[in-house]
């Protein structure tokens, strides 16, 4: 079982904070987006373009379920992983931290990055719509919420540790 699972929107810093948490806790780090790319030999954007979002979400669901069963360290999930009801049910009983940020911070961090297919056109509007659809799901699975706005990755990492009262090894 993972020590902690990080959820939140794209660009919030799950990967950066996840690696820092893993280092501080002297445990392994795993990112389901990395698992998907490694297994498929293609970027997430390529999977979206070539096969569509439903196929990507099915791949993502399998990757998340496998990682939850296998990984004992810090686990970061892709931004949309919580859309799946079975995944949300599996997260029950895990320490799940929702890393949150406001729209201005999100646009600053993600910009018009082509590697983020769901934000390709009008990122500010699309991010707001994504968050309207997802915020309650992040909150549903979370055992703690840590705001990342205006904080360095180091500050967010410490806030996660403080929130979870995790001891460094």
């Amino acid at each position: 079982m993972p020590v902690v699972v990080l959820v939140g929107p794209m660009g919030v810093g799950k990967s950066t904070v996840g690696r820092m948490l893993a280092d501080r806790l002297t445990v392994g780090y795993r990112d389901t987006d990395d698992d998907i790319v490694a297994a498929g030999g293609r970027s997430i954007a390529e999977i979206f373009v070539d096969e569509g979002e439903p196929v990507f979400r099915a791949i993502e669901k399998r990757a998340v379920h496998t990682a939850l069963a296998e990984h004992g360290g810090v686990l970061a999930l892709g931004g949309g992983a919580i859309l799946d009801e079975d995944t949300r049910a599996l997260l029950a009983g895990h320490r799940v931290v929702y890393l949150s940020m406001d729209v201005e911070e999100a646009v600053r961090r993600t910009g018009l990055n082509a590697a983020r297919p769901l934000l390709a056109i009008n990122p500010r509007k699309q991010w707001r719509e994504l968050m309207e659809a997802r915020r309650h799901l992040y909150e549903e699975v979370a055992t703690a919420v840590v705001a990342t706005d205006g904080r360095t990755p180091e500050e967010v990492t410490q806030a996660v540790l403080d929130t979870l009262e995790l001891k460094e090894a």
Side-chain angles (χ1 to χ4, degrees), residues 12-169:
V12 76
K14 296 180 301 283
S15 298
T16 301
V17 170
R19 285 184 187 91
M20 294 175 78
L21 276 171
D23 287 347
R24 295 272 301 269
L25 296 167
T26 64
V27 297
Y29 168 74
R30 186 167 177 174
D31 184 318
T32 57
D33 282 352
D34 293 343
D35 291 350
I36 292 166
V37 170
R42 297 180 293 165
S43 72
I44 289 170
E46 288 173 316
I47 297 169
F48 261 84
V49 169
D50 295 344
E51 300 183 49
E53 186 174 0
V55 170
F56 171 76
R57 294 296 173 206
I59 294 166
E60 180 178 54
K61 177 179 178 174
R62 287 191 302 275
V64 170
H65 290 218
T66 298
L68 284 169
E70 294 176 355
H71 187 65
V74 176
L75 178 62
L77 304 187
I82 47 77
L83 295 171
D84 181 74
E85 184 178 347
D86 294 336
T87 297
R88 292 194 309 275
L90 272 180
L91 289 170
H94 290 274
R95 288 183 190 166
V96 179
V97 176
Y98 163 32
L99 299 180
S100 69
M101 67 180 168
D102 70 22
V103 68
E104 295 309 318
E105 186 81 0
V107 170
R108 185 181 69 75
R109 291 184 192 181
T110 60
L112 294 170
N113 188 337
R116 300 188 188 279
L118 293 180
L119 295 183
I121 302 167
N122 193 348
R124 189 174 268 104
K125 177 179 181 280
Q126 289 180 293
W127 194 86
R128 278 194 184 103
E129 289 172 0
L130 280 174
M131 286 309 297
E132 285 172 16
R134 296 178 181 182
R135 182 176 290 109
H136 72 283
L137 299 175
Y138 292 132
E139 291 170 349
E140 174 187 319
V141 300
T143 54
V145 179
V146 173
T148 65
D149 302 301
R151 288 176 151 173
T152 66
E154 293 80 7
E155 291 168 333
V156 173
T157 300
Q158 188 58 55
V160 171
L161 289 168
D162 293 346
T163 300
L164 295 176
E165 298 179 4
L166 291 173
K167 301 283 187 239
E168 293 182 50

